[in-house]
Amino acid sequence: MKYLGNLLNLLFPSKCPVCGSKSDDHLYNPFCTKCWRGIEKYSVPACNICGIPTVSSLTITCESCLKTKPPFSKVLYYGIYDGALKEAIHLLKFNGVKRLSKPLSLLLSELPIPEADGIIPVPLHHKRLHQREFNQTASMSRHLSKNLKIPLMLNVLRKTKETLPQTDVTGKERLKNVKNAFKVSSIVEGLNLLLVDDVITTGATVRECAKALIKAGAKSVTVVALARSMPKQNT
Ligand SMILES: [Zn+2]
Ligand SMILES: [Zn+2]
């Protein structure tokens, strides 16, 4: 089905998955320019480490990060996991619309990314990689590496434990699910690294990845993600 979808995509002009109008730019096809440009950069007061929105009008460190210092030095993300951004990540991740990794990587490039020695994508377990055929995060990292002229370090971080999809487990279980799931298989000693992920939910995955990298001797890990999903508010 995936191949058929790809073929249809190629043969027929696509409709924007958000508004249904005809896509008008090949760069972010199938999205229309209006919907793509409508992806908003998120900027509200947030924790200066984990990026979670804070109630204060100032950028400060949240209670949780003050209590336990995270293994990463900062989490940068472009927007909220919603609307066109959510749709685009979904198409890239589950429908194999690989060309979207380029425009999405351009969004990442707009973030205030610090100088770094290498870019490391959050890995997939080899079985999952086999099912999906490609790692969307690695694909975005490849473009980001070109955009920023920072070396891409593939296969340095490996996922050695098969885990349930984080979306299938609840809040507290997420940390347990990914615990010790990652191994560092190459030398990262003394390096300042960028860890790339698509969506951050509880941050459990990037936390475990960063922990493994720091344990292996990395000097610092900055998390760079496309989106952050916001905790649901019951009104
Ligand atoms: Zn549209
Ligand atoms: Zn925080």
Side-chain angles (χ1 to χ4, degrees):
M1 274 314 281
K2 195 150 106 187
Y3 294 109
L4 183 67
N6 286 348
L7 187 68
L8 288 174
N9 227 329
L10 201 76
L11 294 175
F12 301 100
S14 331
K15 273 188 178 163
C16 172
V18 181
C19 71
S21 60
K22 203 167 156 277
S23 65
D24 47 4
D25 194 304
H26 72 279
L27 179 65
Y28 27 74
N29 175 285
F31 291 87
C32 75
T33 305
K34 196 167 161 262
C35 290
W36 190 265
R37 298 240 166 103
I39 296 176
E40 269 179 72
K41 209 170 180 174
Y42 190 64
S43 58
V44 296
C47 170
N48 58 5
I49 299 177
C50 72
I52 202 154
T54 50
V55 280
S56 160
S57 58
L58 301 163
T59 301
I60 47 154
T61 306
C62 79
E63 217 171 294
S64 158
C65 289
L66 277 176
K67 217 170 113 198
T68 322
K69 199 171 171 275
F72 42 75
S73 34
K74 204 173 176 50
V75 175
L76 300 168
Y77 57 94
Y78 190 87
I80 299 300
Y81 188 51
D82 200 10
L85 188 55
K86 183 175 181 174
E87 208 61 59
I89 293 170
H90 217 264
L91 285 175
L92 171 69
K93 201 166 170 173
F94 302 110
N95 297 56
V97 187
K98 292 182 193 174
R99 59 173 183 271
L100 283 173
S101 60
K102 192 175 178 182
L104 286 171
S105 79
L106 290 173
L107 299 182
L108 290 180
S109 308
E110 284 181 35
L111 293 169
I113 293 174
E115 272 187 50
D117 304 302
I119 297 180
I120 294 184
V122 167
L124 290 176
H125 189 268
H126 65 91
K127 276 194 189 158
R128 182 69 54 86
L129 185 63
H130 192 73
Q131 282 167 1
R132 245 190 238 163
E133 291 171 30
F134 90 120
N135 177 354
Q136 75 285 352
T137 314
S139 166
M140 278 191 319
S141 299
R142 190 167 284 123
H143 288 292
L144 188 67
S145 162
K146 270 187 214 151
N147 302 346
L148 302 177
K149 298 184 173 58
I150 296 174
L152 176 65
M153 298 172 78
L154 280 179
N155 304 320
V156 166
L157 182 68
R158 283 169 186 276
K159 190 168 186 188
T160 50
K161 191 175 106 182
E162 242 189 305
T163 57
L164 292 167
Q166 286 291 71
T167 41
D168 288 1
V169 283
T170 52
K172 276 186 186 163
E173 290 294 309
R174 289 188 169 185
L175 203 58
K176 224 161 121 192
N177 187 37
V178 291
K179 200 161 176 64
N180 301 322
F182 301 95
K183 293 265 180 304
V184 179
S185 58
S186 191
I187 295 156
V188 292
E189 218 174 305
L191 299 184
N192 294 304
L193 301 167
L194 302 176
L195 177 68
V196 176
D197 204 359
D198 48 9
V199 187
I200 293 184
T201 309
T202 57
T205 303
V206 289
R207 205 171 280 264
E208 278 302 302
C209 290
K211 205 175 87 186
L213 290 164
I214 293 291
K215 213 173 133 195
K219 196 170 166 193
S220 73
V221 176
T222 301
V223 178
V224 181
L226 277 172
R228 175 169 201 124
S229 62
M230 287 296 146
K232 288 213 166 56
Q233 251 136 34
N234 298 315
T235 46

